[in-house]
Amino acid sequence: MTCSYQQGKFLDATMRSVLDQGYPDLEYIVIDGGSKDQSVEVIRRHEHALSYWVSEKDRGQTHALRKGFERASGEILGWLCSDDLLLPGTLKRVAAYFEAHPEVDVIFGNALWIDAQGQYIRPKKEMPWNKFVFLYDHNYLAQPATFWRRSLYEKVGGLDESWNLGMDSDLWLRFAHHARPHYVNEYFACMRDYPEQKTRALKPAGRTEDAKLIARETPALHSVPQKPLRWLARAGRIGIKFVHGGYWASPPQEYVKALERYRIV
């Protein structure tokens, strides 16, 4: 599923990265918030391959995502923001993993950082789930490289529209109350890094939402000085990621080369 608003310059590359997967059981839904740029033209170009799409005013990104997931009927769910990309073969690899591991309900993998034009910057090779690091350092799960079973999504009640920036952090934490997020050491997606990117542009608001999550998830530590906890989480993040080779990772060159077909001029 892809949600979008005024992202027409990125949307074609995003949609092609999904449709180029060639996955036979793909159910692709696009929810646009009533964009006035070229977004609708781009969506119409690919509508023959979509399960559903709409362009209409909504209450924001989380509302758009909820609308999309309410339309979905598949067993494995995930979303791709309109400025991100899926890497080749991701959907087949994700589906195969869930089929081989029926005990796993949510997975997250590695990603590539790319710039506004789609040029490769560096890898984002991850570490296994650690709730303390997640809360007190940062949400390190690459959202477009995270997938889950419909049954888990329904169990937790889906996305919570009261979150504007931390809707994914909130969802991962509620998932973790029922099923430990499982790290898969494969590259699944690309995340675009540029000044106008939502979480960068609204960083102060993001910190406020992060504080709300910390207070909710670890109330016993709410009165404890927060700086030492953040230092400890950062040290843990560095140490664990170092052990897992996160600082000298080299992604498969086939994925880096594949970015050329999604470059934006």
Side-chain angles (χ1 to χ4, degrees):
M1 204 271 284
T2 290
C3 61
S4 183
Y5 180 65
Q6 296 292 101
Q7 293 278 61
K9 64 181 178 180
F10 301 124
L11 187 57
D12 182 69
T14 297
M15 293 182 68
R16 284 191 293 113
S17 79
V18 176
L19 298 174
D20 288 351
Q21 298 279 311
Y23 185 66
D25 296 320
L26 173 65
E27 181 184 50
Y28 192 22
I29 294 168
V30 178
I31 306 294
D32 180 75
S35 297
K36 303 302 182 184
D37 61 2
Q38 68 268 42
S39 295
V40 171
E41 177 186 343
V42 171
I43 297 169
R44 288 192 186 280
R45 195 181 306 153
H46 300 290
E47 66 180 343
H48 64 282
L50 303 179
S51 299
Y52 175 81
W53 75 272
V54 69
S55 180
E56 62 186 14
K57 186 175 177 58
D58 54 43
R59 297 189 295 268
Q61 182 183 5
T62 313
H63 178 223
L65 289 167
R66 283 191 63 92
K67 284 167 57 178
F69 286 129
E70 285 167 3
R71 287 272 179 177
S73 63
E75 167 60 20
I76 306 302
L77 305 178
W79 86 79
L80 188 68
C81 290
S82 51
D83 52 0
D84 294 332
L85 304 172
L86 284 186
L87 288 168
T90 287
L91 296 182
K92 289 180 181 177
R93 288 181 284 134
V94 167
Y97 191 91
F98 276 111
E99 184 176 5
H101 299 85
E103 76 285 0
V104 174
D105 286 331
V106 53
I107 67 172
F108 65 98
N110 305 319
L112 304 180
W113 284 109
I114 58 175
D115 66 15
Q117 288 70 46
Q119 180 72 36
Y120 170 67
I121 302 174
R122 63 184 183 277
K124 177 177 167 58
K125 184 178 186 298
E126 271 318 325
M127 54 175 270
W129 171 255
N130 184 297
K131 184 177 179 179
F132 180 75
V133 171
F134 182 96
L135 283 171
Y136 286 94
D137 189 43
H138 72 287
N139 171 4
Y140 60 85
L141 274 65
Q143 173 268 307
T146 304
F147 301 87
W148 57 92
R149 295 188 191 274
R150 162 184 292 280
S151 56
L152 179 61
Y153 183 80
E154 292 176 347
K155 181 182 291 186
V156 304
L159 285 153
D160 183 344
E161 203 177 325
S162 67
W163 300 91
N164 178 39
L165 295 166
M167 79 289 284
D168 54 341
S169 296
D170 167 65
L171 187 64
W172 310 157
L173 286 164
R174 287 187 288 122
F175 280 170
H177 293 169
H178 302 275
R180 182 181 178 87
H182 189 81
Y183 169 56
V184 178
N185 186 18
E186 291 195 39
Y187 288 86
F188 289 148
C190 300
M191 301 194 299
R192 217 175 285 271
D193 185 19
Y194 59 104
E196 298 80 18
Q197 199 265 344
K198 183 179 178 182
T199 53
R200 286 183 61 181
L202 302 175
K203 190 169 288 187
R207 292 197 187 101
T208 299
E209 291 195 353
D210 289 344
K212 287 173 60 179
L213 285 172
I214 290 171
R216 184 188 79 190
E217 295 291 323
T218 55
L221 297 178
H222 188 59
S223 59
V224 175
Q226 298 295 289
K227 274 192 176 180
L229 294 175
R230 294 189 182 280
W231 292 337
L232 183 59
R234 168 53 57 170
R237 164 78 171 165
I238 292 171
I240 299 170
K241 195 168 179 180
F242 181 86
V243 168
H244 284 84
Y247 294 109
W248 57 84
S250 180
Q253 283 304 298
E254 63 187 279
Y255 295 151
V256 176
K257 290 178 181 177
L259 296 178
E260 287 299 321
R261 73 186 73 158
Y262 306 114
R263 290 289 295 277
I264 296 172
V265 179

